[in-house]
Amino acid sequence: MCRLHHIQSQDIYYASPNIYQNNENHKIGAFYVLTEGCKTIYPLKADGFLNIDQIKIDQGFIQ
């Protein structure tokens, strides 16, 4: 079986971030949730999601 097909056929959760703005410095953070016992894919960059509004993400977090 082709490696790409194997990867794409896995039952894996693709994490989408919750976006929050710090009230003190107005920086924007992307928070991804890490769930125990669930295979999850996270982007390499914090803004590596469908960002239609072109929000500038200052920092990414995995909780």
Side-chain angles (χ1 to χ4, degrees):
M1 182 185 322
C2 174
R3 179 167 165 73
L4 180 58
H5 174 72
H6 173 71
I7 291 170
Q8 291 175 333
S9 67
Q10 294 182 56
D11 187 18
I12 298 176
Y13 172 69
Y14 181 82
S16 60
N18 292 310
I19 308 296
Y20 296 102
Q21 185 173 29
N22 184 310
N23 289 333
E24 294 176 11
N25 61 16
H26 304 290
K27 290 190 175 188
I28 296 177
F31 291 81
Y32 294 87
V33 177
L34 174 61
T35 304
E36 185 177 340
C38 179
K39 286 185 177 181
T40 307
I41 296 174
Y42 299 97
L44 293 175
K45 295 182 178 182
D47 60 355
F49 62 96
L50 183 59
N51 191 355
I52 295 172
D53 296 329
Q54 297 303 309
I55 298 169
K56 181 188 174 292
I57 304 299
D58 296 297
Q59 192 168 4
F61 304 89
I62 298 177
Q63 303 178 321

